[in-house]
Amino acid sequence: MQRNIIPSLLSVLVLFGCSDRKELLFVEGACLEQFASAGLDEEHEALRAQVRRFVDEQVRPYGDQWEEDGKVPRELLRSMGDLGLFGIITPTELGGVGMGMMGLVVLAEELGRSTFGGVTVTVMVHAAMASPHLLHAGNEEQLQRFLPGILSGE
């Protein structure tokens, strides 16, 4: 079965097939040193390793079937919620991880590497669309009502 690859500006290095962080990119004839680690600290690299391991163990073995079925199991989302993956940009005082946008970039890159578009889209809608809008525009009642479910993968 052909898997869909979700292109993402956040995952440009993945789209160019760069798996080794020491590789060089050749873009429009110019040789550019790969700068994937720019702005990333040890915490981001630990997140990268955690998400990569999760994808290898929990997504790859089942991804083809999920793509064929057209849905991602809720159990996977709950597992990701348990790891804090839906709260990467959510401030710690609201129950999130508080890693900011670079943490979200790492999540997007590692999910994009899986090439399972359904999983990537589902997770990124939770992490990059639902929670940011709620954080920026939600009132206290809405935050208390909806944010716990978003963060937990419910």
Side-chain angles (χ1 to χ4, degrees), residues 6 22 24 48 61 65 74 82 89 95 101 115 122 125 128 136 140:
I6 301 300
K22 303 295 183 202
L24 297 178
R48 181 181 302 286
Q65 185 63 52
R74 179 64 62 186
D82 290 344
I89 63 170
M101 290 305 294
T115 72
T122 300
V125 164
H136 294 293
E140 189 62 36

Side-chain angles (χ1 to χ4, degrees), residues 1-31:
M1 171 181 200
Q2 175 103 12
R3 289 180 266 156
N4 296 323
I5 298 175
I6 301 300
S8 168
L9 294 175
L10 302 175
S11 302
V12 69
L13 297 173
V14 174
L15 292 175
F16 281 101
C18 298
S19 58
D20 183 340
R21 301 180 65 73
K22 303 295 183 202
E23 287 182 27
L24 297 178
L25 289 178
F26 292 88
V27 181
E28 297 178 1
C31 178

Side-chain angles (χ1 to χ4, degrees), residues 113-128:
R113 290 169 58 83
S114 78
T115 72
F116 294 110
V119 172
T120 302
V121 167
T122 300
V123 172
M124 294 311 295
V125 164
H126 255 74

